[in-house]
Amino acid sequence: MKSGKVLIAQGGGPTAVINQSLVGAVLEAQRYAQVDRIYGAVHGVRGIVDENFMDLSMETAGNLERVAAMPSSALGSTRDKPDRAYCAEMFKVLKAHDIRSFFYCGGNDSSDTVRIVKEFADEANYEFTAMHIPKTIDNDLMANDHTPGFPSAAKFVACAFAGVNMDNRALPGVYVGVVMGRHAGFLTGAAAMARVFADDGPHLIYVPERTFDMNTFLADVKSTYDKYGRCIVAVSEGVHDAEGTPIVTKLQENVERDAHGNVQLSGTGALADLLCDEIKAKLGIKRVRGDTFGYLQRSFLGIVSEVDAREAREVGQKAVQEALRHNASGTITIKRVGNYASAYELANVKEVAALTKVMADNFITTASNDVTADFIHYLRPLLGSNPLEHAARLMAPMVEKILHK
């Protein structure tokens, strides 16, 4: 490969381990003689267009390791979704700075950007490699068993629901927790890992892979409440009706939309509030509470899967190896080997770009209000150490009543 500079960028929603991929790529790139400098684009592709570059070659190894352990995107991110015209401007900047390898850590839209920029380089006969490094807490990238960022977010969701379950058991009522996931319910399903005892919540789990019916939902809540005297619900922000309309838009007068015209699901507590209102109004249960986990899931400091951190580092390293050692372009994918190991493979970005993976049918119960043992088996090794393995309850017998027999 021709000597030149390396450019690394981070795009989309941050994760707890995205900086492991950044640092893995930087440290690996330093090993190759053909690399003149290693740049970082500040705020993703927007930083490329605006020529806002940081010279990561000047970072010490010690500081890079400290950054690797920090959540969120150290370089800053962007929600820009480049089209061909946008990518043409990016390529002009890349060429002007003699960038010969581009690494973009992001989701499916980011992989599509990698594809388009590489096409411009090929058309210009410019020697150039472009690699997509996978990242998303939604776990919705095709061609991957799972995606870096998801296991740590899943561990946070499981721990949060475990705490909610203990709280709800002490002061019973109905609790509704809304979890990120527009099209895929993997993260919401992770709430099931909070269960230790037979009556632990969440008792009901609803994902966007299945149609959400309000009457069925209310019947499920009532049945659970009648059985346990309490009910904990985990629900994906993207649950929708039979026509595909998000439930939040059916219950809300003013619908907020993002820059791409999508209904704003994250960063609003509307769905939790509306579902709680329906439970109070239709079931007459007085103690009903709701939360929206929102951005807490993405970069929560202190709850990180060690498996996730290791794999995030290794996909960054693997991307650099493929680009600089084998002059390859594409995306790095994670494959599951045995029970449990991970393997990394190079794939064409077209296998990932602008596509969405959803939960397999065997991960969701027939009643569509819970996940199956297959999903638990899939998720458990990704979470690393289990903070619930020493969960305990008071087991002492009750004292016989004297006055109120």
Side-chain angles (χ1 to χ4, degrees), residues 128-334:
F128 178 81
T129 58
M131 293 291 301
H132 169 246
I133 301 173
K135 172 269 344 171
T136 175
I137 69 167
D138 291 333
N139 199 37
D140 62 354
L141 294 189
M142 296 293 288
N144 286 271
D145 175 78
H146 59 279
T147 311
F150 164 68
S152 292
K155 190 169 186 174
F156 168 82
V157 168
C159 289
F161 270 94
V164 164
N165 175 68
M166 296 174 195
D167 187 291
N168 183 263
R169 188 168 179 267
L171 289 170
V174 176
Y175 174 87
V176 178
V178 176
V179 183
M180 277 185 173
R182 181 180 294 272
H183 301 296
F186 292 99
L187 199 55
T188 304
M193 302 302 294
R195 301 167 182 158
V196 176
F197 299 96
D199 62 341
D200 279 343
H203 307 102
L204 301 170
I205 298 176
Y206 300 92
V207 295
E209 284 83 352
R210 296 290 185 270
T211 296
F212 183 92
D213 178 79
M214 184 60 71
N215 291 329
T216 302
F217 166 73
L218 292 172
D220 289 345
V221 171
K222 184 179 186 307
S223 175
T224 303
Y225 189 81
D226 289 346
K227 181 178 181 180
Y228 297 115
R230 64 192 189 98
C231 179
I232 298 175
V233 182
V235 58
S236 292
E237 62 184 8
V239 289
H240 56 82
D241 64 12
E243 285 71 45
T245 303
I247 296 301
V248 68
T249 66
K250 299 185 69 174
L251 302 175
Q252 191 177 16
E253 291 184 6
N254 299 315
V255 178
E256 187 179 352
R257 295 183 181 272
D258 63 21
H260 304 299
N262 298 316
V263 174
Q264 188 69 45
L265 300 177
S266 301
T268 170
L271 181 59
D273 291 343
L274 292 166
L275 291 176
C276 287
D277 288 344
E278 287 290 303
I279 293 169
K280 291 177 184 177
K282 303 292 175 57
L283 301 183
I285 301 172
K286 293 183 179 180
R287 192 170 193 276
V288 183
R289 302 290 185 268
D291 283 324
T292 300
F293 287 16
Y295 298 131
L296 287 174
Q297 299 151 102
R298 298 201 305 208
S299 302
F300 195 85
L301 183 62
I303 298 182
V304 175
S305 160
E306 61 270 28
V307 173
D308 195 20
R310 183 188 72 244
E311 292 179 346
R313 172 71 69 101
E314 290 175 347
V315 294
Q317 294 171 324
K318 181 66 173 178
V320 171
Q321 291 170 3
E322 291 291 348
L324 301 185
R325 186 178 298 172
H326 302 299
N327 200 32
S329 294
T331 182
I332 302 302
T333 60
I334 298 180

Side-chain angles (χ1 to χ4, degrees), residues 370-386:
D370 205 344
V371 294
T372 64
D374 286 345
F375 179 75
I376 299 298
H377 179 74
Y378 162 81
L379 181 57
R380 180 169 283 120
L382 306 184
L383 303 186
S385 60
N386 180 9

